[in-house]
């Protein structure tokens, strides 16, 4: 079974631009979550989608948004990029929305550099 | 609110030494799930284990073992006879089951020297 895939793997953008990152979950998984990892703040939860609906959102500004498609693939968008948005963005998929059988598997991440 | 504390930031050991990575968590929920992930230099978080709050049985998987103690809110991870390939950042994480959100600790950088 293929794992979680994320594209692109690396990205360089300029302040003020916007960026879209893509995540394809493991086949059969319906929940996709996004995390931002920075040296200073560590791993922080951005948001979670299940059945095309945002179910939970972390403490990030409105410049960060996402969506999920009917095939469970997800995209996240960051508008008006700031230097502080430079980070590793990780996507994770799970078959369920929490619960006793919950396990979450991560993709390789997208390394975003904002200059 | 949930919180995970990994007080150790960096650990360096010589190959074949045993090493224990500490994790302390805080939550008011009675049902929760604890995880350990490994992050090698490639960046991908590799799932190692999940433990439910209602199952305090310790677990052993090869050279890896986990000690879960609700009385001290700890979920410690021991690597026996460490190897250079164990060098990575290790994260402890907490989920309360209502959704998929994981609350992570800051991570422990483990360096295993030959």
């Amino acid at each position: 079974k293929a794992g979680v895939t994320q594209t692109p793997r690396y990205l360089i953008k300029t302040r003020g631009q916007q960026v879209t990152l893509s995540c394809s979950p493991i086949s059969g998984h319906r929940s996709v979550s996004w995390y931002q990892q920075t040296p200073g703040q560590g791993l922080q939860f951005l948001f979670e989608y299940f059945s095309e609906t945002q179910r939970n959102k972390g403490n990030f500004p409105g410049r960060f948004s996402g969506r999920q498609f009917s095939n469970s693939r997800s995209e996240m968008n960051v508008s008006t990029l700031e230097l502080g948005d430079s980070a590793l963005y990780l996507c994770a998929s799970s078959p369920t929305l929490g619960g006793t059988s919950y396990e979450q598997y991560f993709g390789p991440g997208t390394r975003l550099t904002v200059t | 609110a949930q919180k995970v504390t990994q007080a150790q930031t960096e650990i360096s050991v010589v190959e074949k030494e045993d090493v224990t990575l500490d994790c302390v968590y805080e939550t008011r929920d009675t049902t929760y799930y604890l995880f350990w992930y490994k992050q090698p230099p490639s960046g991908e978080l590799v799932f190692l284990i999940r433990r439910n709050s209602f199952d305090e049985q310790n677990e052993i998987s090869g050279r890896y073992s986990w000690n879960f103690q609700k009385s001290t809110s700890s979920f410690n991870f021991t690597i026996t006879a460490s190897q250079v390939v164990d060098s990575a950042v290790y994260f402890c994480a907490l989920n309360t089951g209502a959704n998929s959100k994981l609350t992570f600790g800051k991570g422990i950088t483990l360096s295993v020297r030959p």
Side-chain angles (χ1 to χ4, degrees), chain B residues 13-66:
Chain B
V13 299
V14 176
E15 207 170 19
K16 297 185 183 178
E17 280 186 34
D18 297 347
V19 58
T20 296
L21 311 181
D22 298 333
C23 173
V24 174
Y25 62 92
E26 294 176 33
T27 180
R28 292 183 180 179
D29 293 83
T30 55
T31 299
Y32 51 88
Y33 306 88
L34 295 163
F35 298 77
W36 275 94
Y37 285 89
K38 173 183 179 180
Q39 187 175 44
S42 61
E44 183 171 350
L45 282 170
V46 178
F47 170 83
L48 295 177
I49 189 172
R50 181 196 68 189
R51 174 60 69 210
N52 305 328
S53 58
F54 41 86
D55 181 5
E56 286 193 72
Q57 190 173 16
N58 293 327
E59 183 156 338
I60 298 174
S61 176
R63 296 183 298 107
Y64 295 170
S65 63
W66 290 268

Side-chain angles (χ1 to χ4, degrees), chain A residues 10-57:
Chain A
Y10 302 92
L11 206 50
I12 300 175
K13 289 287 188 178
T14 305
R15 271 180 301 177
Q17 288 185 317
Q18 75 166 20
V19 66
T20 299
L21 311 182
S22 180
C23 170
S24 292
I26 292 171
S27 178
H29 285 197
R30 296 169 62 195
S31 171
V32 173
S33 299
W34 289 89
Y35 293 81
Q36 181 196 64
Q37 185 178 21
T38 59
Q41 299 299 317
L43 278 155
Q44 293 186 289
F45 173 78
L46 279 158
F47 29 64
E48 170 189 26
Y49 287 87
F50 184 83
S51 293
E52 301 178 64
T53 302
Q54 187 179 93
R55 302 292 178 144
N56 199 10
K57 190 177 190 302

Side-chain angles (χ1 to χ4, degrees), chain A residues 84-104:
Chain A
D85 297 332
S86 295
L88 179 67
Y89 289 88
L90 291 161
C91 165
S93 80
S94 61
T96 61
L97 195 69
T100 57
S101 61
Y102 166 69
E103 289 184 357
Q104 197 164 100

Side-chain angles (χ1 to χ4, degrees), chain A residues 36 46-47 54 57 60-66 76-79 85 89:
Chain A
Q36 181 196 64
L46 279 158
F47 29 64
Q54 187 179 93
K57 190 177 190 302
F60 279 82
R63 299 186 297 106
F64 291 82
S65 62
M76 68 162 282
N77 183 275
V78 187
S79 62
D85 297 332
Y89 289 88

Side-chain angles (χ1 to χ4, degrees), chain B residues 56-106:
Chain B
E56 286 193 72
Q57 190 173 16
N58 293 327
E59 183 156 338
I60 298 174
S61 176
R63 296 183 298 107
Y64 295 170
S65 63
W66 290 268
N67 180 260
F68 176 31
Q69 291 195 335
K70 288 178 75 171
S71 61
T72 55
S73 297
S74 65
F75 186 44
N76 297 336
F77 173 30
T78 297
I79 301 175
T80 303
S82 59
Q83 300 177 1
V84 173
V85 293
D86 296 327
S87 296
V89 182
Y90 290 86
F91 291 94
C92 180
L94 170 69
N95 169 266
T96 56
N99 50 55
S100 297
K101 175 184 175 181
L102 286 171
T103 299
F104 284 89
K106 292 292 188 183

